[in-house]
Amino acid sequence: MGDGRCDAGRHQVTYSNLTTTNDERPLVTDNLVQNTPAPTATDETWWRQASVYQIYPRSFADANGDGIGDLPGVTSRVPYLASLGIEAVWLSPFYPSALADGGYDVDDYRDVDPRLGTLEDFDEMVSALHGAGIRVIVDVVPNHTSDRHEWFREALASPKGSPARDRYVFRDGTGPSGEQAPADWVSIFGGPAWTAVGDGQWYLHNFAKEQPDLNWANREVRDDFLHTLRFWSDRGVDGFRIDVAHGLAKDLPEGELPTWAEVIASPKDGSHILWDRDDVHEIYAEWRKVFDEYTPARTAVAEAWVAADRRARYASAEGLGQAFNFDLLEADFDAGQFRTIIEFNLGLAEQSGSSTTWVFSNHDVVRHATRYALPARNGAEEKQGSAWLLAGGSQDELDRSLGLRRAQAATLLELALPGSAYLYQGEELGLQEVGDIPDADRQDPAFFRNPGVDVGRDGCRVPLPWTTSGSSFGFGSGTAHLPQPSWFGASSVEAEDADPDSTLNLYRKALGLRGQLQSEEHLEWLETGRDDVLAFRRPNGWTSVTVFGDEPYELPSGELLLASAPVADGALSGVGTAWLRS
């Protein structure tokens, strides 16, 4: 575990008087105050530098013992969330769903999956979170519904050319009876992107076949989502995370469709057939008017996998207001890469008038403690961790200690940066990816549609361990919907809560300090004299120093506030981040 304290030297600070329970925030004296974030923004701008904790509800906490996490489970853990010092939670989809894609196949956008609770449970959860000073962001999935949505069932029961089918993207098949797909397009999850409905027509699904794409040229579709945004805003939701925000607007010709090779070659200048079209921003301009009907205005953040120079429009004040920046998530643990990414994205944020976002882990990628425990990719374009997963995902192949030290250092650097920090459930425990899930237990459609190529994302969605033992390590009274490994107990909340040097308590200290230290949204780089060391100062004298290599680094003068690695004689050991105040 990272030290989280200074061992010796001129900046000596100890945390011997840190007390933590599940019912109260940690209390730190000696320069630190109770871990309640100090106000740093008006109600209208709270999101600009917020710490947001992502909850994947089905894997967070199970209140009724059926093996699936639920909304009452989230409510039961509000004291824990408050103890972290976060400003907001983002909930992945909790809507009725067949779970063809982990809840991102939505049956009804204005209800709660009965397995996860009721609308009353949702209201109770929001009330509890707001009572703890935590805002609520919910996922909206506008690119596609599920194939069980009432609209799609109506479309299948209606004839070609009907208003019901016009809500989706239907096309005639080719061949004498339309028995062949309209085009050879490939879905994101692998396999064909068109599925026949039995009458010569086919529907488009850029993801799983259970996720038919909506037709956003249809006014009824647009109006219904405006209704959905108001429905949740009226229930107290503070903001929205927009899934596949770059995919809504499409421009498919009525006649012969282009080949997949032509689609891939389509220009990425706002005129692409399927992705990141300029006219998608007309949709978000309408959404912004809805957000601004509320006081404070509702916020939104776009999941837009687009070229970096095209993110700004999604983050504009006339649109969603903020967009995810995944660049650090895709980078190696390398000082040069980190600095280039930070400089570039702070520049983009300044251009758009928004604030940037920083992300290392989420529900779609291998956890960063594991990515950093693997050998460097050496220029390979494959996602970090994919080869390890395909080879069986053995923990024995990881340098777990190194991966955790790097993850802790990276997170402290992230939390020192201007902008919003998005944290994924379990990273505060230093959880590793569960890579060796048996095939029979896997759930992700990517695994079933890409055998031998992609094992899917289940490994980062394994239910959290809350206790050191038990049938599901405290996740619920029964078993968990994905198998938990035996080593989870040592990384549980119970185990780490009692350890002052744990990753959990490092996160608590860091988040508490962050809430007090936040300042204007810029930084000044400091000369370090080493290529493997990054240092910057925020306007209020808050300095962050990160050592990416193995050699210790002499820290600048100042009061040491926190460190993820030992500090001896004024020097930070290799692979670590330290915060100082001048």
Side-chain angles (χ1 to χ4, degrees), residues 324-385:
F324 276 122
N325 150 32
F326 297 117
D327 296 347
L328 284 180
L329 180 152
E330 297 184 306
D332 294 318
F333 187 76
D334 176 85
Q337 291 183 41
F338 270 49
R339 177 161 179 167
T340 298
I341 288 168
I342 292 166
E343 289 178 339
F344 182 76
N345 283 284
L346 289 178
L348 285 182
E350 186 173 355
Q351 291 174 26
S352 69
S354 181
S355 65
T356 193
T357 62
W358 308 108
V359 184
F360 282 114
S361 286
N362 63 30
H363 64 293
D364 283 334
V365 299
V366 172
R367 289 183 176 277
H368 66 289
T370 295
R371 299 199 309 270
Y372 293 154
L374 291 164
R377 290 173 294 182
N378 296 322
E381 294 186 359
E382 67 182 27
K383 285 187 176 182
Q384 182 76 312

